[in-house]
Amino acid sequence: MEKKITEKQLKFLSEFLNRKGYENDETKLELMDHLICEFEEKGNGNLSEFLSHKLEFIRSYKQKHQNIISLVYKRELIGEFKKYFLNLDKIPITLISLLVMYFVTTNFNSKVTLIITIISFACVLAYIYSIVFFTKKFIRKTTSMVALTSIIWLPSSFIYLPKEFYNFLLTHKTLYILFWFVAFIINLSAASYIKRKKEVIKTKYQHLL
């Protein structure tokens, strides 16, 4: 059974990190978040002993934590993408998307198909930006949230692909449907992942602040 860290231990941890050169900024908060989660999951209740085994990690955290967070988010995003093919609650969305794309591509001319494709990408991207925008300023500036919003480059990249690329695919309808389908599911995956992860980040920071 996990043991929750006490208020006294929280104060001790904060002062310990101050002595190690961490000020009361987002880096310290994120390091505290990581240490608290691991301590509650794996610790034996002795915080001093736990920290004695984490000294090297604490010293190197400032340089490494951004890369670690970004890597974790990328892996989790891949997992989110897989859910649209494996989870029963998401498979209907996947099938409906594929059917709509097949219908549009085979029943409309290339110009209309391209417009509908771009609109589908833009709608999901606008939703993602709204998730980020309606977030408290402090949370938006945290390293975790900055790393999370960096995922936006992936769905936004499909909108900025050159027109020649789309025109080429439109001459091969099967390839076009496949591209549109995969790209759209990636967009949906990014949107659902960012929304869920944002709530996790908010909850963690509310606990620490």
Side-chain angles (χ1 to χ4, degrees):
M1 182 177 179
E2 293 184 0
K3 293 184 178 180
K4 294 295 182 181
I5 193 169
T6 65
E7 291 296 326
K8 184 177 180 180
Q9 288 174 324
L10 274 175
K11 183 178 179 181
F12 176 84
L13 176 59
S14 178
E15 293 174 350
F16 177 83
L17 293 179
N18 286 343
R19 293 195 298 271
K20 295 298 180 181
Y22 286 85
E23 299 177 356
N24 292 315
D25 58 10
E26 63 174 275
T27 304
K28 177 185 175 183
L29 290 176
E30 293 195 8
L31 177 54
M32 286 183 67
D33 176 43
H34 180 94
L35 293 171
I36 290 169
C37 290
E38 186 172 345
F39 174 71
E40 290 181 338
E41 180 181 353
K42 301 178 181 179
N44 61 4
N46 189 328
L47 182 59
S48 297
E49 180 183 344
F50 171 78
L51 291 175
S52 69
H53 296 294
K54 305 297 294 184
L55 292 177
E56 181 58 33
F57 173 80
I58 292 171
R59 279 194 291 267
S60 61
Y61 186 81
K62 286 184 179 181
Q63 289 73 37
K64 295 181 179 179
H65 82 292
Q66 179 66 63
N67 292 335
I68 293 173
I69 292 172
S70 297
L71 181 60
V72 169
Y73 287 172
K74 289 175 183 177
R75 289 175 177 172
E76 291 180 348
L77 181 58
I78 294 173
E80 189 72 22
F81 177 78
K82 292 179 180 178
K83 289 180 182 178
Y84 282 86
F85 301 92
L86 300 175
N87 287 20
L88 292 178
D89 60 328
K90 292 185 180 294
I91 288 178
I93 298 174
T94 305
L95 293 177
I96 291 172
S97 299
L98 182 58
L99 290 174
V100 169
M101 292 166 191
Y102 175 81
F103 176 81
V104 170
T105 306
T106 56
N107 288 276
F108 293 93
N109 61 45
S110 296
K111 183 177 180 180
V112 174
T113 299
L114 178 57
I115 291 173
I116 295 175
T117 301
I118 298 301
I119 290 175
S120 70
F121 292 157
C123 288
V124 179
L125 187 60
Y127 175 67
I128 293 174
Y129 276 117
S130 71
I131 294 173
V132 176
F133 179 78
F134 292 107
T135 305
K136 290 184 178 180
K137 186 176 181 180
F138 172 78
I139 301 297
R140 286 204 308 267
K141 289 185 175 182
T142 62
T143 304
S144 294
M145 197 65 193
V146 170
L148 184 63
T149 54
S150 68
I151 294 174
I152 295 176
W153 75 266
L154 184 57
S156 64
S157 65
F158 297 117
I159 292 180
Y160 298 107
L161 289 172
K163 186 177 180 181
E164 292 75 15
F165 173 80
Y166 284 102
N167 288 337
F168 169 77
L169 288 182
L170 283 166
T171 61
H172 305 79
K173 292 189 181 296
T174 301
L175 283 178
Y176 188 86
I177 294 171
L178 180 61
F179 162 77
W180 186 7
F181 171 67
V182 172
F184 186 71
I185 297 301
I186 289 174
N187 283 13
L188 290 182
S189 302
S192 58
Y193 177 73
I194 289 173
K195 180 181 180 181
R196 187 178 71 255
K197 201 68 178 181
K198 169 194 166 183
E199 295 304 317
V200 173
I201 294 171
K202 283 175 59 179
T203 300
K204 287 183 177 180
Y205 274 90
Q206 288 170 355
H207 170 68
L208 291 172
L209 290 175

